[in-house]
Amino acid sequence: MLASLIASFATGETTLALRRTRRAAAAYLAAGIAGLCGAGFLVGAAFIWAAEKYGHLEAAIGFGLGFLLLAGLILLVHKLMAGSRAREDERRRRADIAALGTTAVMAVLPTLLRSKGGIGALLGPVVALAAYAIYRENRKPDDGDGVAGE
């Protein structure tokens, strides 16, 4: 990956990609502005129609309540989605940490196995984890945190 990045810098591919990205961003920005203007005119036309049909005050109240309802609905959906996004981010973070730990262990393992104290360095944490697992398995559920008087 690093070699392809260096090669793309050398060939000028990166500058071309940045130019394409800038052009695309400008096109999307212009399209977004035009779309917002179009939506604004449609809302204005709907207001004029409602004002002629129901009266100016009634149309203004209706549009105001409609936009407040829309804002509340957007916030409600965002709040619901934020909780699921946070859970997904936490799950992804745990998976990334596990993958990083596994990669680090696999990278260090050959070096530890070749060294004189490598086996001992590997067995120490394994024995400690096994002892902790046995302790957790055999601990009574009513055991507190060891503080007297509680």
Side-chain angles (χ1 to χ4, degrees):
M1 176 157 165
L2 185 60
S4 66
L5 183 63
I6 292 171
S8 67
F9 276 128
T11 60
E13 185 76 24
T14 306
T15 4
L16 294 175
L18 286 174
R19 282 187 196 145
R20 283 192 304 266
T21 304
R22 251 193 318 263
R23 280 190 218 119
Y28 284 123
L29 180 65
I33 290 171
L36 285 175
C37 287
F41 276 105
L42 286 175
V43 169
F47 179 79
I48 291 171
W49 175 80
E52 288 177 356
K53 185 167 176 107
Y54 300 109
H56 294 288
L57 181 63
E58 291 81 6
I61 290 173
F63 269 69
L65 289 175
F67 279 113
L68 286 175
L69 182 67
L70 180 63
L73 185 64
I74 289 170
L75 289 176
L76 178 67
V77 168
H78 172 71
K79 180 125 178 118
L80 293 174
M81 295 301 292
S84 66
R85 267 187 249 119
R87 284 189 296 277
E88 177 64 25
D89 290 345
E90 180 63 28
R91 186 197 62 74
R92 189 177 307 115
R93 193 175 303 114
R94 285 183 185 166
D96 290 346
I97 288 172
L100 181 66
T102 303
T103 303
V105 166
M106 296 308 268
V108 172
L109 192 62
T111 305
L112 285 176
L113 289 176
R114 276 188 248 133
S115 68
K116 292 180 183 178
I119 300 290
L122 285 177
L123 288 180
V126 170
V127 169
L129 283 173
Y132 181 69
I134 291 170
Y135 165 75
R136 296 257 322 181
E137 181 76 23
N138 294 320
R139 187 177 70 159
K140 293 180 186 151
D142 61 292
D143 284 351
D145 57 354
V147 178
E150 288 189 48

